[in-house]
Amino acid sequence: MDLTKDGIEELILKALSTAVDRGQSRSGTPYLSGGELGRTLKISRTAVWKHIRVLQKRGYQIRGVPSKGYMLLEKADRLSRTHIEKTLQTRKIGSTLYLFEEIGSTNDHAMMMGEQGIPEGAVFLAESQTHGKGRLGRSWISPPGVNLYLSILFRPTFPPVQAPMMTLMSACAVVEAVKEVTGIDAGIKWPNDILIEGKKVSGILTEMSAEQDTVHHLVVGTGINVNMDTQSLPPDIQGKSTSLFHHLGRKTDRTELLCALLKSIERFYGVLNRKGPEAIVRCWKQHSNIVGKRVAVSTHRKTIEGRVEDLTPDGALMIRLNHGERVNIFSGDVEILS
Ligand code: BTN
């Protein structure tokens, strides 16, 4: 038998799963020893152990007990291409789908593939990222098997100055998809934070390759904390971040949420192309509680304080500074003061 590494891991899972059924019907033990697995697959016990470690890293909960062997505790919720393709109801977004077990950053990969003429609407999705990127040079924690990490490639015909609209329209799409699948009303904090009860559940990172008047390609990367146990986050992040699981107390089907999100993005992108930015800004304002609030905004150069008066038609934050002057801010980090 000449099996690939993945093939062996699939067979190990199948055997462990059968052993669990056997254990549940009380006709045997739910454990399989490394020796038994090795004999069936014609590999050494050490090789079995190595494959088990890989499966555990991919999110499968497998318990190893020295005198008994291995037992599959809970099958990981896996993203499968077949399941996604069956559930997806879009025409363009996701019609080309790249699914990775692990990748540096789906945004980096999508930007690179954008150079190679990959069509608009291609989706790059990963079970985990080793170098997930956030805004302002931050990182995005991307553990395997629990959340959604995806990037979508666009080839918009609008000029580069309209690119912030893609972040705003994606934020609207995330809020809509989360509401549809979980019933949760999330809000948007300018420009890209999706919050539940003041804590971040999702973030969006838009990157593009452009010249003065033309966008060559643009990538919208979205991370959603879906089934992540927030207790596993570093203490400084726990206070600021949340997950859908934390609010619902139950798991959300990631494929269902992904497909609802892609459908919603396709719809909003259509609205942006047909009706222009005003329609997106209107929707964004409905989901944002920032207009009228006092804020501190940190930009690359300085931090300013003032009251948010509005969002401009091109997506900038219109702020009345404390001494009365009005400024439009196109990028920065917002803290709501009151
Ligand atoms: C932020 O809020 O700072 C933006 C976070 C964006 C994270 C997503 S996860 C998928 C995509 N790939 C990345 O490296 N980043 C984005």
Side-chain angles (χ1 to χ4, degrees):
M1 189 168 28
D2 185 18
L3 277 171
T4 61
K5 189 172 145 293
D6 285 354
I8 294 181
E9 278 145 26
E10 286 308 312
L11 286 179
I12 291 179
L13 281 175
K14 220 167 158 190
L16 289 176
S17 183
T18 310
V20 170
D21 296 343
R22 207 173 54 201
Q24 276 165 357
S25 69
R26 294 172 195 264
S27 61
T29 161
Y31 284 90
L32 267 185
S33 73
E36 273 174 286
L37 277 166
R39 271 192 300 283
T40 314
L41 299 168
K42 300 198 170 40
I43 56 174
S44 69
R45 286 162 59 137
T46 314
V48 169
W49 176 80
K50 282 186 184 155
H51 287 295
I52 295 277
R53 293 288 302 141
V54 171
L55 287 167
Q56 285 170 330
K57 280 200 185 130
R58 277 168 52 189
Y60 287 92
Q61 292 191 37
I62 300 171
R63 179 193 290 158
V65 177
S67 55
K68 295 179 173 170
Y70 300 105
M71 179 173 126
L72 184 62
L73 294 176
E74 190 190 350
K75 197 174 180 308
D77 159 28
R78 315 277 310 141
L79 291 167
S80 108
R81 169 184 294 280
T82 326
H83 189 188
I84 293 169
E85 284 170 355
K86 269 191 202 149
T87 316
L88 199 57
Q89 292 175 0
T90 53
R91 284 152 64 110
K92 195 164 170 189
I93 307 289
S95 57
T96 310
L97 175 71
Y98 297 84
L99 175 57
F100 302 91
E101 192 58 44
E102 184 181 274
I103 196 167
S105 151
T106 54
N107 259 39
D108 285 350
H109 195 76
M111 283 299 284
M112 195 238 324
M113 295 294 270
E115 298 288 342
Q116 297 176 16
I118 298 294
E120 173 163 90
V123 170
F124 301 83
L125 177 69
E127 280 287 8
S128 69
Q129 298 183 113
T130 52
H131 294 91
K133 301 191 305 184
R135 275 174 70 241
L136 308 170
R138 298 190 187 119
S139 56
W140 187 257
I141 297 179
S142 312
V146 281
N147 296 331
L148 285 174
Y149 319 109
L150 66 137
S151 300
I152 308 175
L153 179 73
F154 292 94
R155 299 194 180 277
T157 49
F158 55 64
V161 288
Q162 261 194 38
M165 277 303 134
M166 295 299 283
T167 306
L168 300 188
M169 75 104 182
S170 303
C172 293
V174 171
V175 169
E176 200 178 90
V178 165
K179 174 76 180 172
E180 182 189 325
V181 174
T182 67
I184 294 176
D185 280 309
I188 308 175
K189 192 182 97 177
W190 186 86
N192 73 331
D193 289 355
I194 315 299
L195 307 181
I196 301 176
E197 291 173 6
K199 290 189 178 183
K200 184 159 168 169
V201 69
S202 167
I204 296 159
L205 178 65
T206 301
E207 298 183 272
M208 70 174 160
S209 154
E211 276 171 57
Q212 210 164 18
D213 304 325
T214 320
V215 178
H216 296 309
H217 59 272
L218 180 149
V219 166
V220 178
T222 307
I224 308 181
N225 298 338
V226 185
N227 294 324
M228 182 166 72
D229 180 358
T230 44
Q231 307 266 326
S232 64
L233 290 170
D236 57 321
I237 299 181
Q238 263 183 46
K240 299 181 205 150
S241 299
T242 191
S243 68
L244 298 177
F245 177 73
H246 182 82
H247 282 264
L248 293 168
R250 63 178 155 78
K251 287 190 176 173
T252 296
D253 184 326
R254 287 186 299 154
T255 304
E256 195 188 337
L257 182 60
L258 168 76
C259 293
L261 174 63
L262 297 183
K263 190 172 169 195
S264 188
I265 286 180
E266 183 161 280
R267 192 174 70 75
F268 277 112
Y269 189 48
V271 169
L272 178 61
N273 284 326
R274 281 195 314 276
K275 300 193 178 160
E278 294 75 17
I280 301 298
V281 170
R282 238 191 338 269
C283 167
W284 188 91
K285 278 192 208 161
Q286 276 171 16
H287 294 302
S288 163
N289 58 358
I290 205 169
V291 177
K293 294 266 165 67
R294 276 187 42 73
V295 293
V297 187
S298 309
T299 64
H300 286 303
R301 281 173 294 148
K302 54 184 177 177
T303 298
I304 57 164
E305 278 189 29
R307 194 169 295 283
V308 178
E309 290 206 330
D310 208 348
L311 202 68
T312 67
D314 46 4
L317 210 53
M318 194 189 282
I319 297 182
R320 179 76 64 181
L321 300 182
N322 292 345
H323 58 268
E325 188 195 344
R326 205 171 69 183
V327 291
N328 292 344
I329 303 287
F330 285 87
S331 87
D333 218 10
V334 175
E335 188 192 343
I336 297 175
L337 301 174
S338 59

